């Protein structure tokens, strides 16, 4: 058997690439001080920054029109106003409903999407707010927290009749390096849900075996050697929630509680031993709830943490591989948009956030968020080359072109536990393909 | 499979190869092969275990490709009694750009293979007595093996940790264990290449470095202050400066150098959390602690007025640390105490502080000025002492005034601290000589608690003759008092202030009743974080 001659075994050398995640610093909250502040400051920071930007764009958009504040509106005068949108939603759950007298009327099952035909939009800035009318601005598309510039005029009814909308548009993008000769892949996956009933550990093991180069023949292993980076975008574990009820746990319960994390650690150990890996927290992970979620504690991963290839990252996460900028979240921002607006596909939401230049416009309104005082870390200042969102229902991707030549690949990463699909992005040309793993043996 | 004769001839070749080449664990003689195959058979039929190629490779230290062909041999030899699971990987016909991996039983294999187009690979995934209902059960044996490997002590490099037996090697992966850097790739397995040093082309460390930014004076301080030795303290102070400077140094480097012994339990605890110690070890670096410390607000000592809601975690940690120093050694692993070393320093620093004060404005070359002091030591009459001290008084009060400016407070106090460190360094060398230390030690320390003018409870450390103010919270009060105190008080305060800091710390450690810094916290704004920890 020729395979017995070990010398002929080819061993591939994994490709290397430059990596840094300096931009993640803005998502860290260790330096933040909580002095009891509320959320007005983050809104103000957002408005301030976006307004400066929109004011600079307004002259090119509609040069002849004056720009004024909400309180400066005069009836019949056409002008441009810039402010934050607020969407008044009838069905939006309000905490006061719990205390209303007519408790029984409140439906027990909340609808997944809170939209209603009667929803209307209001524009706010620090001077005042004005109701918006007209059909140029569809309440179904917009959500609270988006900063836009509106062209229109005040009607006699006191509404602002909108004729045109200016969104911030795609931010400027750093030129993508064009000299990448070889195929190098970044692997994106999310929703491993280790510990849940639907997770198949064999499936994940096959993926790990592929990444590390155990699976397949030499040629396949050569393909796997082209993977330079792996990102796990959230929801890697799922704890049995019924155990977490405030009672002391029996020791056998304790072991069921940490089993998923232990398993995840062993798998991550296998990956980290071979390739650079980032892990981001998600909704179900043992991290904080409010965005930006802080990195999972390294002590959860005693096996993997010693590796220089293992990185625990924030959610959202932004990093550069070979000067290709990636930006992504574990999905909470898009899922929240899904609840308060509608679109044909999830990628539409993703594209909208990019055009609004804000990762999570619904934060802090309906999405938990830290009350930053001097900045809004979710503003997208530089356009990424790849923008990914994890924990979606199905895989999807789209290439978006900006007005200044920006090119962004939008990716929806499906949940691995349900679909067995991971996404690989080729750094050379921003193309992506899937890797799917099936363990059906009938 | 060729007949036995072919095997025999192969075997001869192999034996020759063995003679000429260096011994490699994967060289398999025919007998060895047969042994393995027999073992597989017994595992599968007697113990009903699922033998996957990966399990096999790890168990017998073979590369996974070897293991795959071994399973192939096994199936060809014994095939009938067992179930085989194949794995087909490649691109599907209907989705040519996507990579797909599928498992298939031997009956399904032909159909599954039809779905693939072009070049695809098939190999055996596992052999077992029967295919379980839940495919995940196939994974169990392998996972149990992996768990075993992961349970081995962290310092051991094994095939799980070392990325062995696979087809892709990565020389840039490094695993940091207990302060030593080990290359992940093991030298003896040829399928994984070993190279020596990491290239720094990868900015892996940037992230780690950045994430520690908020906690400046952390890891290396932890390592240092386990001992009370002055040399260690000097080093620790040094290393605090070095740490600031060598911030960009990847934590994986600089391991196993001098500081390891100092690290002691702190080091191992640190590594329990997987944190990589930034060991900064230039022994020759001079202490220029002033500069780095002025940069870092998180090195403020506890008795700074920072607790007025403006402090960050480090301060609070420092504060309660003073109160319960010994208990919180363990906590160093969790909290990054910037002032650990100062505590130790301070506790030693005592009566030879006058020497400290005569040093002009906190300029620190403690090693340099240190030796000068003992020279003046022997003349330890009170006159001498007071002479030195008097000259320091203006400086001290200047320092106090500076203290009121909260921004500069850290500077001043840290300078004082450094002076303390210096003094402590002096204590050591001067211990051999007859210095004023013994005479000063005759003074007794007592605690006195009173209510000051702002209604705060203040605990003071009182020496025999004079009072020393230990201020925990109120800068302005202290400064006022210091400024309008009597001369004697001022003198002694000046003289005692720095050791008093230490004494206060010692006091706190001693009198931990309330475990509040100085026991004077009635103000709810002040950190009650210590009450949280006092249960420890």
């Amino acid at each position: 058997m020729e395979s017995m001659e070990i010398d002929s075994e080819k061993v591939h050398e994994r490709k290397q690439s430059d990596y840094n995640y300096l931009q993640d610093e803005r998502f860290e909250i260790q330096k933040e001080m909580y002095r009891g502040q509320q959320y007005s400051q983050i809104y103000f920071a957002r408005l301030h920054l976006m307004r400066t930007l929109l004011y600079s764009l307004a002259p090119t958009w509609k040069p002849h029109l004056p720009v004024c504040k909400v309180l400066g509106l005069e009836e019949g005068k056409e002008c441009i106003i810039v402010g934050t949108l607020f969407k008044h939603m009838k069905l939006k759950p309000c905490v006061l409903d719990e205390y209303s007298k007519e408790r029984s009327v409140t439906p027990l099952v909340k609808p997944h999407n809170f939209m209603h035909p009667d929803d209307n939009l209001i524009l706010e800035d620090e001077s005042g707010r004005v109701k918006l009318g007209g059909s140029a601005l569809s309440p179904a598309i917009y959500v609270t927290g988006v900063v836009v510039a509106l062209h229109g005029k005040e009607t006699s009814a006191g509404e602002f009749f909108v004729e045109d909308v200016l969104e911030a548009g795609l931010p400027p993008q750093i030129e993508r390096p064009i000299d990448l000769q070889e195929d190098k892949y970044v692997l994106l996956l999310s929703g491993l849900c280790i510990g849940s009933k639907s997770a198949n550990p064999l499936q994940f093991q096959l993926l790990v075996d592929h990444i590390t180069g155990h699976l397949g023949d030499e040629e396949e292993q050569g393909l796997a050697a082209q993977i330079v980076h792996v990102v796990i975008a959230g929801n890697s574990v799922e704890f049995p929630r019924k155990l977490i009820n405030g009672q002391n746990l029996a020791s056998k319960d304790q072991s069921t509680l940490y089993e998923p994390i232990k398993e995840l650690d062993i798998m991550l150990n296998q990956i980290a031993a071979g390739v650079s890996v980032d892990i981001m927290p998600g909704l179900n992970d043992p991290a904080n709830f409010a965005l930006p979620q802080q990195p999972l504690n390294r002590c959860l991963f005693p096996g993997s943490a010693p590796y220089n290839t293992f990185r625990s990252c924030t959610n959202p996460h932004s990093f550069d591989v070979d000067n290709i900028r990636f930006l992504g979240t574990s999905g909470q921002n898009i899922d929240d948009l899904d609840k308060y607006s509608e679109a044909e596909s999830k990628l539409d939401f993703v594209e909208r956030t990019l055009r609004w230049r804000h990762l999570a416009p619904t934060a802090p309104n309906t999405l938990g968020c830290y009350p930053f005082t001097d900045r809004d870390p979710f503003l997208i200042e530089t356009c990424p080359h790849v923008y990914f969102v994890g924990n979606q229902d199905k895989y999807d991707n789209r290439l978006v072109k900006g007005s200044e030549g920006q090119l962004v690949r939008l990716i929806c990463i499906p949940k691995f536990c349900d679909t067995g699909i991971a996404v690989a992005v080729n750094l050379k040309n921003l193309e992506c393909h899937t890797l799917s793993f099936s363990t059906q043996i009938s | 499979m060729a007949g036995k004769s072919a095997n025999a001839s192969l075997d001869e070749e192999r034996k020759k190869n063995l003679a000429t080449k260096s011994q490699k664990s994967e060289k398999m003689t025919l007998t060895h092969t047969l042994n393995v195959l027999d073992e597989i058979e017994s595992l599968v039929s007697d113990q009903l275990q699922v033998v996957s190629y990966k399990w096999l490779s790890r168990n017998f230290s073979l590369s996974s490709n070897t293991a795959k062909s071994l399973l192939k041999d096994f199936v060809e030899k014994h095939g009938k009694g067992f179930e085989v699971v194949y794995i087909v990987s490649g691109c599907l016909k209907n989705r040519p750009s996507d990579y797909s991996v599928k498992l298939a039983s031997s009956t399904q294999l032909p159909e599954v293979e039809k779905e693939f187009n072009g070049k695809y690979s098939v190999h055996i995934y596992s052999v077992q007595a029967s295919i379980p209902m839940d495919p995940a059960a196939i994974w169990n044996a392998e996972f149990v093996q992996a768990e075993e490997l992961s349970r081995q002590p962290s310092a051991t490099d094994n095939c799980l940790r070392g990325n062995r037996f696979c087809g892709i090697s990565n020389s840039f992966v490094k695993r940091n264990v207990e302060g030593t850097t080990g290359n992940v790739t093991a030298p003896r397995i040829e399928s994984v290449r070993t190279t020596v040093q990491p290239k720094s082309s990868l900015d892996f460390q940037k992230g780690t470095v950045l994430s520690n930014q908020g906690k400046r004076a952390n890891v290396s301080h932890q390592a240092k202050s386990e001992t009370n030795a002055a040399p260690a303290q000097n080093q620790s102070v040094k290393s605090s400066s070095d740490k600031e400077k060598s911030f960009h140094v990847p934590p994986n480097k600089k391991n196993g150098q001098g500081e390891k012994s100092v690290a002691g339990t702190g080091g191992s605890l640190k590594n329990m959390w997987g944190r990589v110690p930034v060991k900064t070890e230039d022994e020759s670096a001079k202490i220029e602690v002033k500069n780095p410390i002025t940069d870092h607000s998180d090195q403020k000592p506890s008795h700074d007025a920072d607790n007025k809601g403006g402090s960050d975690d480090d301060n609070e940690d420092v504060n309660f640390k003073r109160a319960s120093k010994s208990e919180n050694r363990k906590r160093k692993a969790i909290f990054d105490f910037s002032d650990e070393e100062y505590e130790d320093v301070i506790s030693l620093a005592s009566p030879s502080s006058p020497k400290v004060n005569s040093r002009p404005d906190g300029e620190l070359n403690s090693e340099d000025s240190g030796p000068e002091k003992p020279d003046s030591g022997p003349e330890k009459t009170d006159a001498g002492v007071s002479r030195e001290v008097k000259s320091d008084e203006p400086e001290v009060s200047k320092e106090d005034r500076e203290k009121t400016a909260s921004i500069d407070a850290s500077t001043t106090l840290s300078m004082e601290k450094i002076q303390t460190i210096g003094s402590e360094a002096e204590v050591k060398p001067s211990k051999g000589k007859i210095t004023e230390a013994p005479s000063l030690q005759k003074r007794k320390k007592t605690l006195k608690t009173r209510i000051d003018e702002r209604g705060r409870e203040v605990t003071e450390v009182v020496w025999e003759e004079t009072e020393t103010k230990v201020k925990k919270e109120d800068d302005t009060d202290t400064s006022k008092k210091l400024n309008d105190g009597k001369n004697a008080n001022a003198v002694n305060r000046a003289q005692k202030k720095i050791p008093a800091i230490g004494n206060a710390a010692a006091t706190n450690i001693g009198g931990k009743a309330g475990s509040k810094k100085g026991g004077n916290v009635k103000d709810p704004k002040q950190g009650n974080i210590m009450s949280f920890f006092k249960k420890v």
Side-chain angles (χ1 to χ4, degrees), chain A residues 6-7 17 214 220 311, chain B residues 21 68 99 190 202 204:
Chain A
I6 316 293
D7 320 46
S17 58
H214 287 279
E220 311 260 320
R311 247 166 262 103
Chain B
K21 294 192 183 170
K68 289 171 201 163
Y99 185 78
E190 72 191 16
L202 292 174
F204 283 138

Side-chain angles (χ1 to χ4, degrees), chain B residues 197-494:
Chain B
Q197 290 311 318
K199 318 264 184 328
S200 48
S201 61
L202 292 174
D203 297 333
F204 283 138
Q205 311 310 328
K206 272 196 203 159
T208 337
V209 162
L210 279 168
S211 62
N212 283 334
Q213 232 178 26
K215 317 176 176 80
R216 297 291 184 124
N218 56 359
V219 186
S220 62
H221 283 101
Q222 292 179 7
K224 302 311 176 291
S225 36
E226 294 297 338
T227 69
N228 286 329
Q233 281 144 0
N234 279 339
Q235 281 175 2
S236 62
V237 172
K238 255 184 284 184
S239 60
S240 76
S241 65
D242 289 336
K243 189 184 62 60
E244 321 300 344
K245 296 198 171 117
S246 62
F247 205 63
H248 56 282
V249 171
N252 275 344
K253 305 200 165 109
K254 308 265 190 213
N255 291 313
Q257 300 185 25
E259 296 299 314
K260 250 181 64 177
S261 55
V262 180
T265 53
S268 61
L269 274 172
K270 239 183 324 208
N271 285 309
M272 198 159 83
W273 307 124
R275 196 136 353 136
V276 177
V278 177
K279 309 250 193 203
T280 59
E281 282 74 31
D282 359 323
E283 305 286 313
S284 59
K286 282 291 172 198
I287 299 178
E288 291 189 353
V289 191
K290 178 163 86 161
N291 291 332
I293 288 187
T294 53
D295 293 341
H296 300 296
S297 60
D298 51 1
Q299 294 197 12
K300 285 183 209 152
S302 61
H303 55 274
D304 204 303
D306 285 284
N307 292 330
K308 297 190 173 136
S311 60
D312 52 9
D313 273 349
D314 281 359
N315 274 339
E316 297 198 355
D317 299 339
V318 169
N319 292 336
F320 84 79
K321 222 165 35 86
R322 288 178 188 280
S324 44
K325 172 172 87 162
S326 50
E327 293 180 6
N328 285 314
R329 297 230 174 230
K330 261 201 152 174
R331 301 222 165 243
K332 273 181 238 150
I334 306 171
F335 298 109
D336 299 333
F337 295 145
S338 51
D339 291 312
E340 182 73 35
E341 74 217 58
Y342 295 115
E343 225 180 60
D344 292 334
V345 168
I346 287 158
S347 61
L348 271 189
S350 57
S352 55
S353 55
K355 296 174 193 169
V356 176
N357 288 339
S358 59
R359 196 177 310 139
D361 10 359
E363 189 168 343
L364 308 170
N365 287 317
S366 53
E367 290 161 330
D368 292 336
S369 50
E372 331 179 306
K373 298 300 173 184
D375 295 336
S376 59
E379 43 169 78
K380 55 180 159 70
T381 59
D382 280 347
V385 168
S386 55
R387 195 190 334 126
E388 282 183 38
V389 167
K390 274 201 181 82
S391 63
D392 300 334
E393 191 196 323
E395 172 212 334
V396 167
S397 27
K398 175 188 79 163
E399 286 177 1
D400 294 334
R401 264 179 244 116
E402 282 180 31
K403 250 200 286 183
T404 62
S406 58
I407 298 165
D408 290 339
S410 62
T411 315
T412 317
L413 288 167
S414 41
M415 290 199 296
E416 288 173 341
K417 270 204 200 152
I418 291 148
Q419 292 174 352
T420 318
I421 295 161
S423 77
E424 187 213 319
E426 292 156 12
V427 171
K428 267 297 161 105
S430 62
K431 265 204 171 112
K433 309 182 205 170
I434 307 158
T435 62
E436 45 196 13
S439 68
L440 290 172
Q441 279 167 0
K442 284 182 202 144
R443 281 181 231 218
K444 277 186 294 189
K445 283 189 268 180
T446 52
L447 270 180
K448 262 178 78 172
T449 308
R450 59 182 183 82
I451 308 290
D452 73 10
E453 63 203 31
R454 286 203 22 192
R456 296 169 193 262
E457 194 182 302
V458 174
T459 303
E460 295 173 345
V461 174
V462 176
W463 296 92
E464 278 181 346
E465 302 92 61
T466 57
E467 271 194 352
T468 308
K469 175 69 160 278
V470 173
K471 166 195 66 87
K472 281 293 165 270
E473 296 159 40
D474 198 345
D475 272 337
T476 52
D477 276 352
T478 307
S479 62
K480 265 187 275 175
K481 287 194 157 49
L482 285 169
N483 287 335
D484 34 286
K486 301 181 191 82
N487 218 13
N489 273 346
V491 162
N492 287 312
R493 242 179 280 119

Side-chain angles (χ1 to χ4, degrees), chain A residues 297-437:
Chain A
N297 200 317
R298 290 168 72 90
C299 62
L300 291 169
F301 308 108
S304 322
Y307 291 91
N308 64 341
T309 43
F310 173 80
R311 247 166 262 103
S312 183
C313 304
T314 55
N315 170 31
H317 181 37
S318 175
F319 59 96
D320 287 349
V321 183
D322 277 351
N323 293 325
I324 307 261
R325 176 151 303 183
F326 284 71
L327 173 65
T329 67
S330 299
Q332 290 109 315
N333 56 333
I334 301 302
D335 291 342
D336 205 57
L337 278 182
D338 197 15
K339 284 195 212 151
Y340 296 98
S341 61
E342 70 181 7
E344 279 172 16
S345 92
K346 292 288 177 81
L347 282 179
D348 289 337
F349 292 127
V350 182
E351 192 175 338
R352 282 177 202 168
T353 59
L354 202 55
R355 291 198 188 279
W356 293 333
R357 289 207 205 183
H358 200 278
L359 273 176
T362 50
N365 186 29
T366 45
L367 190 55
C369 166
Y370 181 88
F372 291 94
T373 51
D374 53 354
R375 63 196 175 98
D376 185 347
F378 303 112
L379 287 169
I380 306 176
E381 281 151 17
T382 328
C383 192
H385 297 101
V386 178
Y387 179 15
F388 62 88
V389 177
N391 293 297
Q392 299 305 303
D393 297 324
K394 59 186 183 64
Y395 163 69
D396 207 352
N397 79 86
R398 180 189 296 177
L399 196 61
V400 167
K401 293 195 173 58
S403 58
E404 290 156 26
Q406 300 102 326
L407 215 61
V408 196
R409 170 74 61 187
L410 307 181
I411 303 176
C412 283
I413 312 172
K415 288 203 188 87
F416 191 80
C417 59
D418 293 336
T419 58
I421 292 177
V423 183
V425 184
N426 191 342
L427 294 179
K428 190 167 80 171
N429 49 19
L430 292 187
E431 277 172 18
C432 42
H433 66 265
T434 59
L435 283 78
S436 57
F437 297 85

Side-chain angles (χ1 to χ4, degrees), chain A residues 12-194:
Chain A
H12 302 269
E13 185 77 28
R14 188 172 294 277
K15 301 222 175 129
Q16 301 299 330
S17 58
D18 293 323
Y19 175 91
N20 78 71
Y21 60 129
L22 302 165
Q23 310 86 271
D24 259 6
E25 210 184 330
R26 67 188 145 111
F27 298 124
E28 298 197 349
I29 56 176
Q30 280 94 332
K31 295 202 194 85
E32 299 293 325
M33 199 83 64
Y34 183 67
R35 295 189 201 85
Q37 68 267 25
Q38 296 191 12
Y39 291 107
S40 59
Q41 289 174 298
I42 189 176
Y43 275 122
F44 184 69
R46 186 185 302 178
L47 177 61
H48 195 69
L49 288 165
M50 291 289 289
R51 185 165 53 192
T52 320
L53 174 69
L54 287 169
Y55 277 178
S56 66
L57 293 176
T60 37
W61 178 48
K62 309 235 165 175
H64 53 285
L65 289 176
V67 175
C68 61
K69 296 269 169 84
V70 167
L71 271 188
L73 283 178
E74 291 165 18
E75 190 177 325
K77 173 176 137 195
E78 242 182 88
C79 59
I80 297 175
I81 52 174
V82 177
T84 315
L85 286 175
F86 177 81
K87 183 152 92 166
H88 183 81
M89 300 181 80
K90 200 163 154 170
L91 293 178
K92 180 177 151 193
C94 171
V95 67
L96 298 176
D97 290 344
E98 289 177 47
Y99 302 96
S100 75
K101 297 253 162 46
E102 317 94 39
R103 244 343 252 288
S104 52
V105 178
T106 322
L108 291 167
V109 178
K110 293 207 163 15
H112 174 72
N113 186 295
F114 299 106
M115 291 186 52
H116 192 273
D118 288 346
D119 295 338
N120 59 308
L121 289 168
I122 295 164
L123 191 79
E124 259 188 43
D125 69 9
E126 67 269 1
S127 62
R129 30 154 65 186
V130 63
K131 204 154 165 226
L132 299 174
S135 53
L137 206 61
S138 162
I141 297 175
Y142 287 89
V143 286
T144 303
V146 183
V147 179
V148 287
L150 301 176
H151 159 221
K153 57 172 164 298
E154 191 182 344
T155 62
S156 53
E159 260 188 15
F160 186 83
F161 184 84
V162 180
E163 288 171 29
D164 202 358
V165 184
L166 172 69
E167 294 167 347
L170 262 56
Q173 189 179 62
I174 299 172
E175 277 292 319
R176 191 158 58 93
I178 20 175
D179 56 346
L180 291 174
Q181 307 295 343
E182 37 183 22
D183 289 329
K184 284 189 196 174
Y185 294 93
V186 171
L187 201 69
L188 305 168
L189 63 142
S190 83
L192 295 169
C193 299
I194 295 178

